[in-house]
Amino acid sequence: MPEHWKSLLSGLRSPLLLGALAGAVLLSGVDETWLAVSAWVGTFGLCEALHGCRSRWGVAATGLIFGTLANVVALFALGPLLVGYAQLSEPVAWLVAACTWLAQGVPYALAAWLAEAVASRGWPRWLALAGSLTCALALCPQVFPWHLGASQLGVLPYVQLAELGGESLVGLCFVSAVAALHGSLRAPGKARWGALGIAMLAIAGPLAYGFARLPAVERERAMAPKLRLGVVQANAPIPSGDAEAYARRSLTALLSLTRPLESKGVDLTVWGETAYPYPLLRSTTHAPDDERAPQAAGVQGPLLMGLETYSTFMDHGAKYNSAWLVRRDGRMAGRVDKARLIPFGEYVPFWHLLTPLQSFFHSPGFAPGAPGTVRLPQGRLGVLICYEDLFAAAAREPVRQGARMLINLTNDVWFGTSRVSFLHDLLARMRAIEQRRDLVRVVNTGRSSFIAASGRELIHGQPFEQASFVVEPVLLDARTPYSRLGDLTAPGCALLLLIALVRRRRVRLGSAS
């Protein structure tokens, strides 16, 4: 073999370089099927990179670069978002984006370090990695949360376990399968066959459960009552120029897209996040009947519209990212506010404490609200705003309050033509499985979609196209184990890892004495 090829192959054996390549591959799939494959390749690459590390700090650094590169690929559009939405200068925006990618990589560094610590006490490295990754991804705060288990949505039966233990349980099975398969190639003697058996079990077990469960879910959906819902994807651009002219154009587009839906006999029409272009006071009891009227040009309602609401229009009055139900008679009924806000994108951390921030940002941004539901004659509908459909706990709360289906109002215009809107839609499908609720996503610029309680995407619109369509989500009442109990998988793994560390340490102390 030529010397330059030997040199190249030797360089690829570097744990840091291999970890970086594996992270870049992890979420590089262009659709859900290829994403399932690229996640396998990337996670296997992480296992191989960690195997080549010679110190615990090297392990942590490899995990960090793996997680950081994975988030660079997934969230590269964060830089332009901060420029366009938060109005940061480009150097500051890219610095904040880099810090976010790095922070999103920290759970992988912690998981790798913890796995090495557990492995040094006699546990199989592949088993320790599966448990530590499950803990770190579920328990470490993330700005944009995602778990490795969601990458397998392209193999729909495999992810049905989410109704039992959420993304953490699916992720535990997935990482166990990949890590154990890698361990079977690296482990000596009989340990190799044990790891291979675990890998086969971690693959076949979830698949068997999913193939058995999916027909039952479809039967439940077939017997449940339906709601006719109108979805309006207005494709509104980023506000610019004359604000009043922009508002008039936006409202005209919303009304023109809504009329054909109402002629088809929908029970409710939904406008996306902040699609209604006029802010309203939270004390408002009836919809405006002037040029701001959402029920004009033949539109009757009811409407669920995304908008900004204010406690007062005075300077520094609290404002909220809201969804508000307008009934046929014009009364403003149930309102839900976004609870989880994006730092610097929607609010400025420590604005009230740091005077320099107040000179740079004129207000602290949005105030957090509380997740909730709106009531129709057919029952309660759970409402999630923006990227709240990435948070399992945010979807659990409205279902706990009695929601029979879920609606997500989102605006992904800030991410442009990047893959973020595709990944956002993909990751949100886990909420439908976890809660066994149909999920309708209304996205201003796409990709709007209708997701069944099985996690199957039945309809989706194309990004950056103006569209409207009718969907018929079913209304379900039964609650899943995960909906009732939450995530027990990650705390359970954390407890077992702690026992593994403490128990072996006590044995050593006892033998030393």
Side-chain angles (χ1 to χ4, degrees), residues 1-10 13:
M1 180 181 293
E3 288 299 321
H4 65 277
W5 283 108
K6 290 182 179 180
S7 176
L8 176 61
L9 292 175
S10 177
R13 293 192 188 102

Side-chain angles (χ1 to χ4, degrees), residues 71 75 78 100 104 142-146 342 387 390-391 415:
N71 280 280
L75 302 172
L78 184 59
T100 303
Q104 295 271 122
Q142 298 183 70
V143 176
F144 296 93
W146 56 275
I342 302 174
Y387 80 142
L390 300 183
F391 293 87
F415 294 111

Side-chain angles (χ1 to χ4, degrees), residues 10 19 40 43 68 98 103 105 111 123 136 166 176 215 244 253 272 283 320 456 501:
S10 177
W40 266 84
T43 307
T68 301
W123 288 74
S176 295
E244 185 60 32
S283 58
Y320 300 81
R456 191 184 308 279
L501 290 170

Side-chain angles (χ1 to χ4, degrees), residues 100-173:
T100 303
W101 299 328
L102 192 65
Q104 295 271 122
V106 167
Y108 295 89
L110 293 175
W113 186 91
L114 179 59
E116 183 64 22
V118 172
S120 69
R121 284 158 170 78
W123 288 74
R125 182 176 279 103
W126 59 265
L127 181 61
L129 181 63
S132 60
L133 267 175
T134 300
C135 296
L137 291 175
L139 303 179
C140 292
Q142 298 183 70
V143 176
F144 296 93
W146 56 275
H147 201 294
L148 288 168
S151 67
Q152 299 306 295
L153 273 158
V155 189
L156 196 59
Y158 193 85
V159 297
Q160 298 305 308
L161 279 176
E163 69 173 355
L164 303 180
E167 277 184 316
S168 291
L169 181 57
V170 179
L172 176 63
C173 293

Side-chain angles (χ1 to χ4, degrees), residues 5 41 64 91 140 177 222 250 295 323 353 393 401 479 488 500 505:
W5 283 108
V41 174
L64 180 63
C140 292
S250 297
Q295 292 165 296
L353 300 177
Q401 297 176 17
R479 295 183 61 187
L488 300 181
R505 186 178 181 186

